[in-house]
């Protein structure tokens, strides 16, 4: 076979016969190292709390199919299997997740997913909080205006963090007034 291709994988039997009475057979197998069907690294944006499912897109032309399918994050191996399920995604879970496959031939193949939490671009216009203090009746709505944060540029996550700091201060002041 000349110019082998992944489609040529499998076993071949060759029988040689000489002078009508001598016969020899041998079997040759062609192996293809494991590889993926998609780019080496993909970026995925998710929302806070989303369920994330990552798949190991192993080529059907890998022969034999990989017996080693592991997942790692920052070089720490933590799961095995063709799919990785991550529930209730949060900021601490961001990072590069990699599927590592190996079928015993060649080098292990690596497929990466850079998973990031989406920024909240319009957070500055939508931050409002309802606060209920026992004994004071109905909950009070607090609208955090962008004026409070205009002096600096914030990403959505930073803005929400700053808004929570502002809200914490406001709650403490309200509690001091009520006492």
């Amino acid at each position: 076979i000349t110019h082998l291709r992944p489609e040529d994988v499998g076993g071949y039997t060759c029988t040689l016969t000489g002078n009508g009475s001598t016969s020899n057979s041998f079997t040759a197998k062609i192996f293809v190292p494991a590889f993926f069907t998609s780019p080496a690294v993909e970026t995925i944006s998710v929302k806070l709390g989303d369920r994330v499912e990552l798949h190991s897109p192993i080529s059907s032309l890998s022969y034999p199919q990989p017996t080693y399918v592991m997942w790692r994050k920052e070089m720490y191996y933590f799961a095995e299997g063709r799919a990785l399920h991550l529930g209730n995604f949060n900021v601490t879970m961001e990072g590069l997740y990699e599927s590592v496959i190996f079928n015993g031939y060649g080098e292990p193949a690596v497929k990466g997913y850079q998973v990031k939490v989406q920024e909240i671009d319009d957070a500055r216009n939508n931050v409002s909080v309802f606060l209920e203090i026992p004994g004071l009746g109905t909950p009070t709505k607090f609208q955090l205006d962008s004026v409070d944060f205009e002096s600096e540029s914030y990403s959505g996550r930073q803005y929400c963090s700053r808004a929570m700091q502002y809200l914490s201060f406001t709650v403490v002041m309200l509690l001091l007034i009520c006492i």
Side-chain angles (χ1 to χ4, degrees):
I1 300 174
T2 56
H3 307 291
L4 285 173
R5 298 178 316 263
E7 301 86 51
D8 298 324
V9 301
Y12 293 85
T13 302
C14 178
T15 303
L16 302 172
T17 305
N19 295 338
S21 61
T22 306
S23 178
N24 288 322
S25 294
F26 69 93
T27 301
K29 289 190 177 184
I30 299 172
F31 300 99
V32 175
F35 66 98
F36 294 104
T37 59
S38 59
V41 178
E42 293 180 44
T43 300
I44 298 175
S45 292
V46 299
K47 295 178 184 172
L48 286 174
D50 276 358
R51 178 178 169 79
V52 178
E53 191 170 311
L54 305 176
H55 294 276
S56 193
I58 301 168
S59 171
S60 61
L61 298 177
S62 299
Y63 184 79
Q65 282 291 294
T67 54
Y68 180 87
V69 182
M70 297 290 292
W71 289 90
R72 69 185 182 196
K73 182 181 179 201
E74 298 170 6
M75 301 307 286
Y76 172 72
Y77 289 87
F78 66 93
E80 61 183 279
R82 289 185 177 233
L84 178 65
H85 304 278
L86 303 167
N88 197 21
F89 205 86
N90 63 59
V91 179
T92 63
M93 297 167 72
E94 285 184 327
L96 180 63
Y97 291 83
E98 295 176 304
S99 175
V100 181
I101 60 173
F102 186 61
N103 68 353
Y105 299 93
E107 296 293 319
V110 179
K111 163 75 177 167
Y113 292 95
Q114 184 67 48
V115 185
K116 298 180 178 184
V117 173
Q118 291 176 352
E119 292 294 328
I120 306 169
D121 295 331
D122 60 346
R124 295 185 180 156
N125 301 322
N126 297 317
V127 179
S128 60
V129 179
F130 286 89
L131 177 65
E132 183 176 356
I133 300 175
L136 292 183
T138 59
T140 303
K141 180 179 178 182
F142 290 90
Q143 179 71 38
L144 302 178
D145 296 323
S146 60
V147 173
D148 297 323
F149 307 103
E150 282 182 355
S151 61
E152 297 183 45
S153 175
Y154 293 99
S155 70
R157 191 173 328 131
Q158 292 168 325
Y159 182 81
C160 288
S161 174
R162 178 74 173 105
M164 290 309 294
Q165 291 172 354
Y166 176 79
L167 181 62
S168 296
F169 175 77
T170 304
V171 169
V172 168
M173 294 307 293
L174 280 172
L175 288 174
L176 289 174
I177 292 170
C178 292
I179 296 180

